[in-house]
């Protein structure tokens, strides 16, 4: 949808206004953070930086980020009332102004999320036209757009883990478009992000979760608007 | 995909078809889907445009910041006795109404961007109403608009941050003018000239949003863009031609956008945003952030 320059990239996307970067992109960032957590968050601390902090109020960026966490799509008319929706759905949220940081992209946000089964810290930015980038997950630096079906694993940094994961995808007839492994210290934990050409089934997720040395698995399905 | 308006016009001439037929067929082939599937998807986009235009003219829609609201509705009320005539006034009123809906966190189609989302609905709904075009014809004319937008995107830009408002409201007006020519039964070449007229009218137009919000002057510029598009279509239908070929106009627009200083490209640091009142509004909006 956001990739190719086609007629619907020109006459589209359909979205809730007013800004593709500050509103539609903010919803997508919330969506992706929710996918990474893998469940609807119960608590969320959301820190806005730079232009997101300074002009976000007038662009509804705050509501858009929360709506994204609830799994609303960028054209969902409930975005306007996202705060009330969040309260009704049992999400306790806190929005903070992170101020200016010249080292960060103008439209940057950090989500600190807690769900029933786990926690995630996700940082991302909105790069224009509704397109976004995830920059870090749980302290691991990364770089992906969420435009592809994507699988994320946190695993022990040992020989054979990467091969086992890619073999599992191959067995599910899933082709890898891009992949990236990042780690903080050798021999400890690593984050692997794999973008694929085919959608990822819940069976694949379950199979990956059962593997030794895999600590956590998240999948992102861009074909499903929102979640 | 076509890289120039000239290629588009020549191909439509060879195949003796409308620009919209050409684009729909090529896109369907490139994407490997049926033409009807693309038509139905475009119809959905058009329905969203119609709904936004309807709701923004029927009632006063306030923006999230509270800076703007009801501009489209106010002009709509005056359309029957408008100095510029009911068609022009309705086109502009609908364009502003859709921009109002956008600023209120309502649903719109970014066409080509959210900031310029009013111009295509304002022009096409109003022209089709006046000429009695079928919904099918209007939906198809959006493919013509998209083709013009693609050529501008490839050879220049559709982002205010890169090219100023000429790249957003200017491009939207060019797209709307080309589509309006087709709705009026004009030739593909006339669509290209109409697009050129619309771009020439706002060449160098800056993007200077007060407080960085898509409201002042964006909403009124959507109204103005709709008027320019309708007039550009009429000029082309009357047989006027752009002495500077339309593709060269697009190239000039790119170069002019490149020359604009950063303060006039969506940074809210120049133009209307930097006026004493613009700065004062910005200060008030920031206070609301820290309310």
């Amino acid at each position: 949808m956001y990739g190719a320059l086609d007629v619907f990239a020109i006459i589209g996307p359909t979205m809730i206004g007013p800004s593709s970067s500050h509103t539609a992109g903010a919803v997508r960032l919330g969506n992706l953070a929710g996918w990474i957590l893998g469940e609807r968050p119960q608590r969320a601390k959301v820190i806005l930086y730079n232009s997101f902090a300074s002009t976000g109020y007038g662009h509804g960026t705050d509501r858009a980020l929360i709506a994204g966490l609830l799994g609303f799509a960028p054209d969902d008319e409930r975005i306007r009332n996202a705060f009330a929706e969040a309260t009704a759905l049992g999400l306790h949220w806190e929005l903070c102004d992170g101020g200016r940081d010249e080292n960060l992209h103008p439209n940057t946000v950090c989500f600190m999320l807690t769900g029933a089964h786990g926690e995630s810290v996700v940082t991302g930015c909105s790069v224009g036209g509704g397109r976004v980038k995830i920059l870090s997950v749980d302290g691991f630096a990364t770089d992906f757009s969420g435009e592809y079906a994507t699988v994320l694993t946190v695993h022990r940094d040992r020989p054979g883990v990467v091969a086992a994961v890619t073999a599992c995808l191959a067995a599910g007839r899933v082709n890898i478009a891009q992949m990236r492994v990042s780690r903080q210290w050798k021999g400890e934990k690593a984050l692997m992000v794999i973008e694929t050409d085919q959608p990822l089934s819940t069976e694949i997720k379950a199979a990956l979760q059962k593997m030794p040395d895999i600590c956590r698995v998240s999948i992102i399905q861009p074909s499903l608007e929102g979640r | 995909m076509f890289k120039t308006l000239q290629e588009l016009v020549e191909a439509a001439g060879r195949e003796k078809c409308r620009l919209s037929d050409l684009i729909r067929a090529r896109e369907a082939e490139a994407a490997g889907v049926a033409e009807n599937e693309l038509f139905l998807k475009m119809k959905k986009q058009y329905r969203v445009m119609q709904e936004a235009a309807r709701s923004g003219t029927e009632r006063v829609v306030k923006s999230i910041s509270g800076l703007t609201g009801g501009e489209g509705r106010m002009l709509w009320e005056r359309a029957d006795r408008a100095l510029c005539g009911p068609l022009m006034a309705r086109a502009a009123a609908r364009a502003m109404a859709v921009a109002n809906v956008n600023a209120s966190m309502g649903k719109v189609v970014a066409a080509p961007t959210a900031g310029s989302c009013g111009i295509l609905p304002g022009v096409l709904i109003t022209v089709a109403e006046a000429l009695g075009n079928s919904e099918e014809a209007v939906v198809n004319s959006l493919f013509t608009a998209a083709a013009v937008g693609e050529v501008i995107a490839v050879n220049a830009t559709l982002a205010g941050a890169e090219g100023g408002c000429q790249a957003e409201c200017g491009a939207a007006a060019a797209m709307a003018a080309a589509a309006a020519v087709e709705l009026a039964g004009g030739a593909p070449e006339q669509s290209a000239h109409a697009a050129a007229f619309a771009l020439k009218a706002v060449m160098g137009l800056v993007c200077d949003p007060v407080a960085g919000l898509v409201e002042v002057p964006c909403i009124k510029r959507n109204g103005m863009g709709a008027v320019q598009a309708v007039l550009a279509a009429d000029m082309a239908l009357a047989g006027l031609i752009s002495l500077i070929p339309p593709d060269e106009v697009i190239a000039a627009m790119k170069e002019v956008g490149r020359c604009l200083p950063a303060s006039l490209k969506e940074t809210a640091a120049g133009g209307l945003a930097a006026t004493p009142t613009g700065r004062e509004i910005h200060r008030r909006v920031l206070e609301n952030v820290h309310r």
Side-chain angles (χ1 to χ4, degrees):
Chain A
M1 172 181 178
Y2 294 88
L5 189 61
D6 63 29
V7 290
F8 298 107
I10 305 286
I11 308 294
T14 298
M15 56 170 269
I16 297 301
S19 162
S20 56
S21 58
H22 284 64
T23 319
V27 177
R28 300 249 315 137
L29 284 166
N31 286 163
L32 292 177
W35 278 110
I36 291 166
L37 181 68
E39 58 183 312
R40 178 175 287 153
Q42 294 173 336
R43 308 193 76 83
K45 183 173 179 181
V46 184
I47 308 167
L48 287 73
Y49 295 94
N50 297 341
S51 175
F52 259 14
S54 59
T55 71
Y57 164 72
H59 284 128
T61 305
D62 42 9
R63 307 173 201 215
L65 293 165
I66 299 299
L69 289 177
L70 296 175
F72 297 175
D75 67 348
D76 192 319
E77 292 186 273
R78 292 174 296 176
I79 292 169
R80 200 178 202 289
N81 299 316
F83 294 154
E85 298 278 349
T87 304
L89 291 167
L91 166 64
H92 298 273
W93 80 94
E94 182 190 351
L95 286 153
C96 310
D97 183 345
R100 293 207 67 78
D101 185 338
E102 299 301 332
N103 296 319
L104 297 175
H105 184 276
N107 304 321
T108 299
V109 60
C110 173
F111 299 93
M112 302 168 84
L113 307 177
T114 307
H117 304 101
E119 296 182 348
S120 280
V121 179
V122 180
T123 303
C125 61
S126 178
V127 298
R131 306 178 76 157
V132 302
K133 263 194 209 179
I134 297 297
L135 303 171
S136 80
V137 174
D138 293 345
F140 296 100
T142 184
D143 183 352
F144 65 96
S145 66
E147 288 166 25
Y148 289 82
T150 307
V151 57
L152 289 86
T153 62
V154 175
H155 57 266
R156 285 187 195 86
D157 185 20
R158 284 182 190 163
V161 180
V162 172
V165 170
T166 56
C168 176
L169 293 178
R173 306 202 64 74
V174 172
N175 189 50
I176 294 173
Q178 280 96 225
M179 69 180 284
R180 177 182 167 133
V181 183
S182 44
R183 65 184 181 191
Q184 288 162 318
W185 291 282
K186 189 178 175 185
E188 293 194 13
K189 282 183 183 170
L191 171 76
M192 177 159 49
V193 175
I194 304 175
E195 299 179 285
T196 69
D197 291 326
Q198 285 80 26
L200 295 155
S201 63
T202 48
E203 289 77 22
I204 288 180
K205 183 179 180 183
L208 291 174
Q209 277 168 329
K210 278 189 210 127
M211 287 184 175
D213 295 323
I214 298 271
C215 311
R216 88 177 264 193
V217 180
S218 304
I219 58 169
I220 294 168
Q221 303 280 28
S223 54
L224 307 174
E225 286 292 347
R227 193 162 49 94
Chain B
M1 202 183 68
F2 297 92
K3 291 204 167 55
T4 65
L5 293 180
Q6 174 143 6
E7 281 176 26
L8 265 167
V9 169
E10 282 172 3
R14 274 197 309 274
E15 297 181 24
K16 295 187 175 45
C17 65
R18 294 176 298 186
L19 285 177
S20 57
D21 297 326
L22 180 73
I23 298 307
R24 207 184 46 243
R26 293 293 170 93
E27 285 273 336
E29 198 187 323
V33 298
E35 276 190 55
N36 193 46
E37 193 176 314
L38 291 184
F39 174 82
L40 292 175
K41 193 167 171 196
M42 194 62 93
K43 187 158 128 182
K44 266 193 179 163
Q45 308 292 69
Y46 182 57
R47 292 274 169 92
V48 172
M49 291 180 175
Q50 279 182 309
E51 176 54 27
R54 193 190 56 75
S55 72
T57 48
E58 272 182 5
R59 58 192 173 81
V60 171
V61 180
K62 274 293 203 189
S63 72
I64 293 293
S65 71
L67 282 182
T68 56
E71 288 79 8
R73 163 90 188 150
M74 284 166 78
L75 184 62
W76 183 255
E77 294 277 277
R78 202 192 134 71
D80 287 335
R81 54 201 163 87
L83 296 177
C84 64
L87 186 145
M88 281 285 198
R90 286 197 188 116
R94 283 183 168 124
M96 287 196 290
V98 173
N100 284 141
V101 167
N102 181 55
S104 78
M105 296 195 84
K107 196 196 280 195
V108 297
V109 180
T113 61
S116 59
C117 67
I119 294 172
L120 273 168
V123 171
L124 299 186
I125 295 170
T126 308
V127 166
E129 184 179 74
L131 298 177
N133 294 115
S134 65
E135 185 183 45
E136 187 187 344
V138 197
V139 172
N140 277 326
S141 77
L142 284 169
F143 286 95
T144 298
V148 171
E150 281 192 13
V151 169
I152 298 174
V154 168
N155 296 290
T157 173
L158 296 174
E162 280 179 64
C165 192
Q166 58 167 1
E168 297 208 18
C169 285
M175 293 158 63
V181 165
E182 184 174 304
L183 286 177
E189 192 171 10
Q190 290 175 315
S191 283
H193 285 292
F197 299 150
L199 285 177
K200 292 198 287 188
V202 294
M203 185 153 298
L205 186 63
V206 303
C207 178
D208 51 352
V210 170
L213 303 179
V214 194
E215 295 188 54
V216 182
C218 320
I219 292 170
K220 293 187 188 88
R221 281 199 188 140
N222 270 266
M224 293 292 184
V227 167
Q228 279 158 349
V230 175
L231 189 56
D234 265 328
M235 286 163 71
L237 289 162
L240 277 67
I241 59 162
S242 176
L243 284 179
I244 308 298
D247 288 308
E248 290 186 33
V249 172
I250 293 171
M253 171 208 158
K254 178 186 186 176
E255 181 55 20
V256 168
R258 199 183 61 76
C259 292
L260 284 177
S263 63
L264 300 176
K265 290 191 274 197
E266 215 182 321
T267 51
L272 297 171
T275 56
T277 304
R279 289 184 195 280
E280 169 61 18
I281 291 171
H282 196 171
R283 197 187 55 73
R284 282 201 335 251
V285 169
L286 283 181
E287 267 173 17
N288 271 331
V289 179
H290 303 292
R291 65 201 178 278

